[in-house]
Amino acid sequence: MKNQEETLDPSDWTEVRELAHRMVEDAVRHLDEVRERHVWQPIPEEVRARFRTPLPTGPQPLGDVYEELRENMLPYAMGNIYPRFWGWYMGSGNFTGALGDFLAAIDGSNLGGGSTAAAMIDMQVIDWFKEMMEFPPTASGTLTSGGSMANLLAHTITRNMMAGVDVRAEGIVGIPRPLRFYASDQVHSCHQKALETLGLGARSLRMVASDERQRIDLSALEAAIAEDRAAGVAPVCVIGTAGTTNTGATDDLKALAALCRREGLRFHVDGCIGAFLKIAPENRALVAGIELADSVALDPHKWLHTPFEAGCVLVRDADRHFEAFEMHGEYLQLQTRGMIAGKFLADYGLELSRGFKALKIWMSLKENGAPKLGRLIDQNIAQARHLEGLIAADPRLELVAPVDLNIVCFRYAGGLKDEVALKEVNTEIMLRIQESGFAILSDTTVAGRHCLRVAINNHRTTRQDLSVLLSEVLRTGAGVAHERARSAATVSTVGKKTPIIHERKAEGA
Ligand SMILES: *Cc1c(COP(=O)(O)O)cnc(C)c1O
């Protein structure tokens, strides 16, 4: 040994290089063979135990560490990379994004600021998003961990602008009148969390009734604003949703923009699901008006399939954005020359040190081009309409909400009359299908009716996958309903499982 000093680098890279190559080989195979596995499976107790061992106090060959992960981590993933994952609302990732995350770590730059190519890429991704959303080049934006953080940043800017006091100096105790944000009753829960975090309280979010297509009711909104003004509350912002989480509904964004202009309110769009419709050739009209917003939250880790995490907020007025978050300690003064010359990216959000999230987005956009990513969005919507058609054609199934986008809410109804029985049977169908590893779907309640929910936000899904899903729902539903009818009302239906046909058999492969 040359000296006594240590480093994390190996003294000889040969072994690590080979191991790294093997990891890439395995990773490619993992994706190539994704269809041959289960979407999800419960974690056995002995595997759980492996993750409860105490802090390592000695070294271990990296090859062994990797083997442990191959055995205990990869088989127990969420499964959102799998073609039949349609639960909640997630993207399905992509390999280029994974390479991007790797290269970002190798580059190592801290994206808080600095005159680096990484920062240029970060700013270029923001510019591309502005272009997609038809925001002016003068607008600003920042990449965030996700949609929740993007919405929080937007609401922080609104609070500071509309408070009637210098909130950064005085705090919320100085705000003379309660501030009110408006959104439909379908708004995502992260908005309430954001307003609670900002010290404005849950009551600062007023949820307005939605119409029969789950869009905000405009006259109810106007009435709510007038009522609040009369009561001495300060209306400050309308949150329009482009693609609701429950059903994929989109508010009338143009009408909301006009209303906000008339009333002197800020207009924010939660586009976590729907904003990227702007690049979908066949469906972009659905989000017409998003370009009129003062701010938009987008979620690349949903419909752009960026591996977690990646969100973004765009803000029309770059100065107000900067004023809300700009902060420089004496150890971090801005310079016009040298390493940290130029725009300081941390001045646009809460984190100082920031990861290089932009790279995985940038690489995928360069590789595929925006039109292809847009076509994949259209493809998911076409698949949802296909599924809607299949459901409508089967008397045992019932659509519970109109299919406006890529989310299909339906339930197995075969002979079931009351809501309690419907909920019980459909919950059991969902759980059995999840536990079988065949597919992942989730559930929700729309206008008081419980239902299964299939959110097709997946570039690996085929129509065949959706047909097979319906066969499974029908088969499982018939089994559960039969068990339920046979057992007395006092006996639980849970526990007697209808076996699920395995994929290869089901697809005749
Ligand atoms: C997913 C979602 C969010 C939250 O985004 P995260 O990235 O999960 O933090 C907010 N709004 C809507 C409409 C969403 O679908």
Side-chain angles (χ1 to χ4, degrees):
M1 233 191 235
K2 275 190 289 248
N3 59 43
Q4 297 298 98
E5 286 162 317
E6 289 193 300
T7 165
L8 292 175
D9 288 335
S11 50
D12 176 357
W13 285 89
T14 318
E15 220 175 290
V16 169
R17 180 181 288 123
E18 265 168 33
L19 179 62
H21 283 168
R22 218 176 80 222
M23 286 184 193
V24 173
E25 281 297 323
D26 291 349
V28 169
R29 192 170 340 108
H30 189 72
L31 287 186
D32 193 28
E33 296 174 353
V34 63
R35 268 190 184 275
E36 288 158 36
R37 294 189 302 268
H38 283 112
V39 49
W40 174 85
Q41 56 182 333
I43 312 175
E45 197 40 53
E46 61 271 22
V47 173
R48 288 179 188 274
R50 302 293 293 271
F51 297 114
R52 291 182 184 132
T53 50
L55 177 71
T57 51
Q60 194 184 356
L62 183 59
D64 294 357
V65 176
Y66 175 56
E67 274 315 308
E68 188 177 340
L69 288 182
R70 253 165 51 92
E71 241 175 74
N72 298 324
M73 178 186 80
L74 287 176
Y76 306 104
M78 176 163 265
N80 49 305
I81 67 167
Y82 185 90
R84 287 198 294 263
F85 185 99
W86 304 300
W88 309 280
Y89 205 96
M90 299 184 201
S92 39
N94 71 90
F95 187 63
T96 302
L99 294 175
D101 260 351
F102 175 72
L103 293 175
I106 294 298
D107 175 90
S109 296
N110 183 335
L111 273 283
S115 185
T116 61
M120 299 295 301
I121 287 175
D122 188 297
M123 289 188 278
Q124 186 167 35
V125 167
I126 294 295
D127 282 341
W128 288 344
F129 286 165
K130 288 192 278 189
E131 211 178 311
M132 288 181 190
M133 296 306 132
E134 295 182 277
F135 259 48
T138 51
S140 69
T142 188
L143 294 176
T144 61
S145 49
S148 303
M149 182 57 88
N151 284 306
L152 172 71
L153 296 186
H155 298 336
T156 308
I157 297 164
T158 291
R159 181 198 64 180
N160 293 7
M161 286 176 68
M162 307 295 275
V165 62
D166 180 354
V167 179
R168 288 195 65 174
E170 308 298 331
I172 50 168
V173 289
I175 301 178
R177 289 189 300 158
L179 310 182
R180 192 83 88 213
F181 292 67
Y182 302 85
S184 87
D185 53 14
Q186 299 296 303
V187 73
H188 193 275
S189 60
C190 74
H191 295 275
Q192 179 180 334
K193 199 169 181 175
L195 296 175
E196 287 175 6
T197 304
L198 289 173
L200 300 176
R203 272 201 293 278
S204 67
L205 177 61
R206 180 157 179 180
M207 293 193 203
V208 177
S210 49
D211 64 17
E212 72 293 344
R213 292 192 82 91
Q214 283 76 43
R215 295 167 305 194
I216 192 166
D217 181 326
L218 291 164
S219 47
L221 172 62
E222 286 194 306
I225 293 169
E227 185 185 82
D228 282 344
R229 280 201 206 284
V233 168
V236 294
C237 178
V238 175
I239 303 163
T241 301
T244 59
T245 316
N246 255 349
T247 65
T250 294
D251 293 331
D252 185 341
L253 302 178
K254 281 188 169 162
L256 290 182
L259 185 150
C260 286
R261 214 173 305 120
R262 271 199 317 275
E263 296 278 350
L265 308 185
R266 284 184 60 80
F267 178 35
H268 174 71
V269 173
D270 181 345
C272 284
I273 286 178
F276 289 113
L277 283 161
K278 270 285 201 194
I279 58 165
E282 286 169 24
N283 289 287
R284 61 195 313 273
L286 285 174
V287 290
I290 208 171
E291 68 284 352
L292 304 171
D294 292 305
S295 51
V296 180
L298 354 157
D299 237 355
H301 63 207
K302 286 180 176 165
W303 235 340
L304 283 193
H305 307 292
T306 303
F308 294 114
E309 307 164 328
C312 173
V313 62
L314 297 181
V315 182
R316 179 172 303 276
D317 190 332
D319 291 342
R320 300 290 91 74
H321 187 182
F322 177 79
E323 283 163 15
F325 302 109
E326 180 273 331
M327 180 69 74
H328 288 270
E330 63 270 27
Y331 39 78
L332 200 61
Q333 293 297 299
L334 285 176
Q335 300 292 345
T336 53
R337 287 167 40 215
M339 169 76 235
I340 59 164
K343 192 162 153 182
F344 213 74
L345 300 178
D347 283 332
Y348 296 85
L350 294 173
E351 294 104 344
L352 176 54
S353 293
R354 297 174 67 243
F356 190 5
K357 295 189 231 309
L359 187 57
K360 55 193 169 187
I361 306 171
W362 189 87
M363 283 173 64
S364 174
L365 278 167
K366 296 270 271 191
E367 178 195 18
N368 298 299
K372 176 167 181 187
L373 295 170
R375 288 199 302 278
L376 289 172
I377 290 172
D378 280 338
Q379 179 171 294
N380 282 163
I381 295 171
Q383 287 166 339
R385 296 204 178 116
H386 174 72
L387 182 61
E388 179 187 26
L390 295 177
I391 292 165
D394 196 309
R396 292 164 295 177
L397 300 171
E398 180 191 359
L399 275 167
V400 168
V403 176
D404 281 326
L405 210 59
N406 58 336
I407 299 172
V408 182
C409 293
F410 72 106
R411 59 189 179 181
Y412 176 83
L416 299 161
K417 287 284 170 285
D418 63 287
E419 290 296 324
V420 174
L422 281 161
K423 181 168 183 176
E424 201 179 302
V425 169
N426 280 278
T427 303
E428 186 62 19
I429 294 172
M430 172 186 76
L431 294 176
R432 286 191 191 186
I433 291 180
Q434 283 182 5
E435 285 167 350
S436 74
F438 170 80
I440 294 284
L441 61 169
S442 55
D443 65 346
T444 189
T445 298
V446 180
R449 295 193 296 167
H450 175 263
C451 57
L452 301 171
R453 179 175 164 285
V454 174
I456 314 168
N457 189 69
N458 193 321
H459 60 88
R460 298 191 175 101
T461 295
T462 64
R463 288 177 181 222
Q464 167 74 7
D465 287 319
L466 295 163
S467 313
V468 194
L469 169 72
L470 284 194
S471 311
E472 277 309 308
V473 167
L474 288 169
R475 212 177 58 80
T476 312
V480 175
H482 180 69
E483 287 167 27
R484 202 174 174 278
R486 265 206 328 205
S487 58
T490 50
V491 180
S492 164
T493 58
V494 186
K496 292 185 214 157
K497 294 193 182 169
T498 311
I500 298 287
I501 299 168
H502 271 269
E503 162 143 25
R504 286 170 168 270
K505 249 194 269 169
E507 291 182 352

